[in-house]
Amino acid sequence: MLSANALAKKPEIEKTQTVDCSRESLQEAVDAIKTPATLLVSGVCNEDVTITRPDITLSGNVNDAQCNKTNPLATAGGVINGVLRIERVRSSVAFMEIKGPGNGIEIADGASVDVYCNAVHDNDRSGVFVSNGSSATLRDNTVDGNGVLGVASGNPFNYVDCGVYANSASAVYSTGNTYKNNDYGAVCVTGRSHFRNGTFLPRNSGYQPVASERDTIVERGCTPNSGGCFSSDEGPLAINVFDGGSV
């Protein structure tokens, strides 16, 4: 007779698979792989990608590089030219370049996502959109030039798009990131959501808070490297808090 220990379920071993978007679909790889898993992404993925299965990491770190904190684009190995949407599950996104129509990264419906060392830029809408009771931990990313539709319209009030937008009782923890040149502002917090910066980062393993690692916000109406730049005025601005949001 097998012992209780022998009958106990063995822990899943994380798998790693490479995906070259010049030859294959990232979405098909996401749908097919058994989790937990890391997908090492290279090439340009001209597609929207949705993750609804837990414990998938998308990483462009194909060369096992250290994060270039001042310029994550230099170490991004894979590109998503579309919307990356993560729903209901834990996931991680690292060393990726994300740009294109719509929001860059959408974190929705209770998802919990680590976003590390990515270049999220020039998306038509917000760079990172966190909604419906979700949480995001952002570290060492650049969030640059998002809200292209608002820029093109010549009026940021036409499209309230930010570098990071937290809505509907969601939470964003942010440290070491650079926010710049976003249309309406760096960060928008609304609908009983909250935003925490620097020393407020959760004490997750591997993500210890460092007091000196404040975000850099270079938006119109904000003094660079001040570590705050909060405002309740209308954009373009740095951090806009409205309709029950908190910081």
Side-chain angles (χ1 to χ4, degrees):
M1 179 179 293
L2 292 175
S3 68
N5 287 339
L7 290 171
K9 184 179 179 180
K10 294 181 180 179
E12 292 281 358
I13 298 174
E14 182 167 321
K15 294 160 285 296
T16 300
Q17 176 180 320
T18 59
V19 180
D20 181 353
C21 283
S22 67
R23 298 184 291 106
E24 53 194 322
S25 164
L26 178 56
Q27 183 67 67
E28 290 180 3
V30 165
D31 292 342
I33 197 164
K34 184 177 180 180
T35 64
T38 295
L39 294 173
L40 288 176
V41 184
S42 62
V44 179
C45 311
N46 290 307
E47 58 182 324
D48 294 337
V49 177
T50 300
I51 297 175
T52 57
R53 299 165 63 221
D55 301 317
I56 291 178
T57 295
L58 296 186
S59 175
N61 195 7
V62 292
N63 296 317
D64 197 24
Q66 295 294 315
C67 178
N68 186 328
K69 295 183 179 182
T70 59
N71 182 20
L73 185 60
T75 46
V79 180
I80 295 179
N81 187 19
V83 178
L84 171 60
R85 183 174 174 87
I86 302 164
E87 301 175 353
R88 302 186 298 277
V89 296
R90 297 183 308 273
S91 189
S92 299
V93 184
F95 292 87
M96 297 291 295
E97 179 184 0
I98 299 172
K99 60 180 182 176
N103 298 309
I105 304 175
E106 296 182 352
I107 300 169
D109 300 334
S112 177
V113 182
D114 287 336
V115 182
Y116 171 64
C117 198
N118 301 279
V120 184
H121 68 94
D122 295 303
N123 293 282
D124 281 355
R125 304 302 303 254
S126 292
V128 182
F129 189 87
V130 188
S131 66
N132 297 332
S134 300
S135 64
T137 300
L138 278 65
R139 179 185 288 273
D140 299 333
N141 304 277
T142 56
V143 183
D144 179 14
N146 298 289
V148 172
L149 287 175
V151 173
S153 75
N155 184 352
F157 306 114
N158 288 348
Y159 304 91
V160 183
D161 299 316
C162 305
V164 172
Y165 198 116
N167 190 25
S168 303
S170 296
V172 174
Y173 305 95
S174 176
T175 191
N177 302 287
T178 298
Y179 300 98
K180 60 181 180 178
N181 303 323
N182 298 289
D183 173 53
Y184 191 79
V187 178
C188 291
V189 189
T190 184
R192 296 178 293 111
S193 297
H194 69 268
F195 175 83
R196 296 291 184 266
N197 170 248
T199 57
F200 295 101
L201 196 71
R203 293 182 177 273
N204 296 337
S205 176
Y207 290 95
Q208 296 300 316
V210 179
S212 62
E213 285 195 3
R214 301 293 251 168
D215 293 327
T216 299
I217 299 176
V218 190
E219 302 288 358
R220 292 160 287 183
C222 173
T223 302
N225 302 312
S226 68
C229 305
F230 298 103
S231 175
S232 59
D233 298 330
E234 298 297 332
L237 41 81
I239 299 178
N240 192 20
V241 183
F242 58 102
D243 291 344
S246 66
V247 293

